[in-house]
Amino acid sequence: MNVIRRKGWEIPEREATPESLAMNRRALMRGGALLGAGAILPGLSEATLAADDPTAGLYPAKRNESYKLDRGLTSEPTASKYNNFYEFSLNKSAYLQAESLKARPWTLKIDGLVAKPLDMSADDLIKAMPLEERLYRHRCVEAWSMTMPWTGFPLKKLVEYAKPLGSAKFIRFETFMDPKMAPGQRAFFPWPYVEALTMAEATNDLALMVTGAYGKPLPNVFGAPIRLHLPWKYGFKSVKSITKVSFLEKRPKTFWEESGPGEYGFWANVNPEVPHPRWSQATEEVIGTGDRRATLLFNGYGEYVADLYKGLEKENLYM
Ligand SMILES: Nc1nc2c(c(=O)[nH]1)N[C@H]1C(S)=C(S)[C@@H](COP(=O)(O)O)O[C@H]1N2
Ligand SMILES: [Mo]
């Protein structure tokens, strides 16, 4: 993970990039493999997508007013041109390469400790779920933030739908694996991207399965056709373009735990008092505004989630 745009207060890019990633990036540059590969003209896909998307009529969904903001929304053009999507690029210009993501048809697998494992079309799931809009703040571990109008449904509803067995303690999410489509997956990382939550975290009201943004179906760059958003955790927990949801007894290893052990851990709750090993988390750049603001514990969502971590204080909660 890296910071490209730099001002006086920003960390130099080499400091914000885990060594393994920096090395990997150099290798990629040498091969010239990443930039441009698979990219098609931006603008083309939006029209194509709308035509093939059987869920398009579900948007815009009604806003759930329970989730209030303390700042303005990030504009759509700003939010959709400053993204992390390592399957496509290590740069914030991932939106260009992400044009090659084929988000439909899309199969979502539900397996592990469930009454009945199943494969279903993402569109059938989206049609079966109660969609709503929520305004959420997003805090990346790279010390920047945005404010997004997501559309989706509570992860809790997906858990109810999947009927996990009592022995399920964790839920694991996996992104697609397709190096032909996604140039970043030709680079050495522990692909596919994997994230996980405890069942208590997953059934919290805030955990949202996201299927749309800005009142429309999710554009590729935000992780179409279905991704997670967890506003109290650092952004890397909010896995994009999910193809598999598994219910497990043991805590699985995540993509970032494997890529940067000691820097990115399982819990990854936003905490301004615990610095990343190589930079402070006390403040954040609010993308698109030129402002820098104080970062809040649990990204300001403590009233919803602080109880989940009672008694776990000895764990490394924030990495
Ligand atoms: N599959 C996948 N999911 C991912 C990432 C990724 O590289 N691949 N990046 C994460 C990080 S670091 C962030 S900050 C957010 C960015 O989400 P956004 O582009 O919607 O702002 O996605 C997260 N989910
Ligand atoms: Mo991030």
Side-chain angles (χ1 to χ4, degrees):
M1 298 196 211
N2 52 63
V3 171
I4 303 296
R5 295 163 68 251
R6 215 175 299 154
K7 293 188 191 123
W9 43 260
E10 280 182 330
I11 30 177
E13 189 178 336
R14 65 178 178 282
E15 286 174 24
T17 308
E19 291 314 314
S20 55
L21 309 191
M23 228 162 64
N24 182 51
R25 177 145 55 152
R26 279 193 294 275
L28 282 168
M29 293 300 184
R30 228 180 298 128
L34 207 55
L35 298 172
I40 59 165
L41 285 178
L44 209 84
S45 69
E46 221 174 289
T48 327
L49 239 166
D52 315 336
D53 179 355
T55 69
L58 302 174
Y59 301 87
K62 193 172 184 302
R63 183 174 297 172
N64 179 339
E65 300 285 354
S66 317
Y67 303 95
K68 307 280 186 220
L69 295 178
D70 60 350
R71 59 193 77 175
L73 279 175
T74 306
S75 80
E76 187 176 358
T78 299
S80 53
K81 291 189 175 56
Y82 193 88
N83 308 87
N84 282 328
F85 204 162
Y86 273 54
E87 283 82 347
F88 292 99
S89 174
L90 304 189
N91 298 317
K92 292 292 178 287
S93 58
Y95 67 96
L96 295 171
Q97 284 80 18
E99 289 291 322
S100 61
L101 170 61
K102 194 170 178 287
R104 283 184 170 76
W106 193 272
T107 303
L108 190 76
K109 195 182 254 311
I110 298 178
D111 68 7
L113 302 168
V114 289
K116 196 167 140 251
L118 58 95
D119 281 6
M120 70 184 305
S121 116
D123 289 327
D124 289 345
L125 178 69
I126 294 168
K127 284 189 256 175
M129 290 287 145
L131 296 191
E132 61 181 61
E133 183 179 71
R134 296 186 185 186
L135 309 183
Y136 268 5
R137 290 190 299 98
H138 171 79
R139 172 60 157 80
C140 176
V141 74
E142 296 162 342
W144 53 264
S145 66
M146 287 186 190
T147 316
M148 300 291 300
W150 295 125
T151 305
F153 57 89
L155 172 56
K156 190 161 60 175
K157 295 282 176 196
L158 178 60
V159 172
E160 283 166 15
Y161 185 87
K163 298 193 181 68
L165 306 179
S167 50
K169 299 284 178 286
F170 295 90
I171 177 166
R172 176 188 184 275
F173 302 88
E174 191 175 297
T175 297
F176 67 82
M177 183 66 193
D178 187 347
K180 276 211 181 98
M181 179 173 80
Q185 290 188 329
R186 294 173 215 151
F188 181 78
F189 275 103
W191 301 113
Y193 200 101
V194 167
E195 262 306 337
L197 298 170
T198 63
M199 291 304 289
E201 290 180 311
T203 51
N204 177 270
D205 286 336
L206 275 185
L208 193 67
M209 290 298 286
V210 170
T211 63
Y214 296 95
K216 294 171 285 192
L218 212 53
N220 287 352
V221 71
F222 293 139
I226 188 162
R227 61 91 61 89
L228 193 60
H229 198 261
L230 309 163
W232 74 100
K233 290 184 178 285
Y234 288 120
F236 65 85
K237 295 289 296 185
S238 293
V239 48
K240 294 178 167 181
S241 301
I242 297 165
T243 50
K244 192 160 81 158
V245 177
S246 310
F247 293 84
L248 305 171
E249 193 166 350
K250 285 218 191 90
R251 185 163 115 182
K253 262 262 157 103
T254 67
F255 178 84
W256 284 108
E257 282 179 285
E258 292 207 38
S259 302
E263 302 209 347
Y264 307 106
F266 178 78
W267 298 102
N269 294 315
V270 175
N271 187 339
E273 287 176 13
V274 179
H276 181 278
R278 291 180 287 119
W279 61 84
S280 165
Q281 296 291 21
T283 63
E284 62 204 51
E285 178 190 5
V286 185
I287 299 300
T289 66
D291 291 349
R292 207 158 176 92
R293 293 180 68 128
T295 287
L296 304 171
L297 181 62
F298 294 117
N299 203 23
Y301 293 97
E303 65 172 292
Y304 300 97
V305 294
D307 282 353
L308 289 172
Y309 306 102
K310 291 249 162 75
L312 291 174
E313 289 79 5
K314 286 213 171 68
E315 295 249 345
N316 195 351
L317 285 182
Y318 307 106
M319 274 189 31

